[in-house]
């Protein structure tokens, strides 16, 4: 009986260690970082089709009233920084 108890105990410990290793590996493999709306807008702007140049770019801000303004910080191709302002539009 003692031999059987030892075998079960060792098997149980080995099973727990294996399960812990698998869970640890799966947690480490799921590294996701949040992406800001500005970054997504920049990625979409870079994805404009160069062939026709008319593919629309979705911007995550659409001011509906005339007095509303959305400001986006930008970095231009030459490395200089600036801001783009979008003022209110009626049919946004």
């Amino acid at each position: 009986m003692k031999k059987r108890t030892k075998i079960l105990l060792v098997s149980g410990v080995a099973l727990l260690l294996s399960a812990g290793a698998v869970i640890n590996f799966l947690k480490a493999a799921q590294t996701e970082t949040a992406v800001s709306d500005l970054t997504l807008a920049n990625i979409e702007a870079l994805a404009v089709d160069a062939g026709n140049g008319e593919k629309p770019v979705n911007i995550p801000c659409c001011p509906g009233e005339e007095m509303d303004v959305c400001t986006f910080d930008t970095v231009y191709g030459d490395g200089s920084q600036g801001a783009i302002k979008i003022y209110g539009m009626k049919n946004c």
Side-chain angles (χ1 to χ4, degrees):
M1 196 68 154
K2 283 186 173 183
K3 188 175 184 180
R4 185 174 182 190
T5 304
K6 286 181 182 179
I7 291 173
L8 287 175
L9 183 62
V10 170
S11 299
V13 170
L15 182 65
L16 287 175
L17 287 175
S18 299
V22 168
I23 290 171
N24 213 8
F25 173 76
L26 292 175
K27 272 192 172 183
Q30 291 181 347
T31 55
E32 281 188 32
T33 56
V35 179
S36 70
D37 289 340
L38 177 60
T39 303
L40 291 175
N42 285 339
I43 291 170
E44 287 181 14
L46 290 172
V48 172
D49 187 10
N52 61 15
E54 295 181 14
K55 184 178 178 183
V57 176
N58 296 325
I59 299 175
C61 175
C62 184
E65 300 295 323
E66 243 180 87
M67 302 303 289
D68 292 344
V69 178
C70 291
T71 304
F72 298 98
D73 296 325
T74 58
V75 177
Y76 299 104
D78 62 355
S80 63
Q81 296 181 355
I84 295 175
K85 292 184 178 183
I86 299 176
Y87 295 93
M89 295 176 250
K90 289 187 178 186
N91 297 319
C92 198

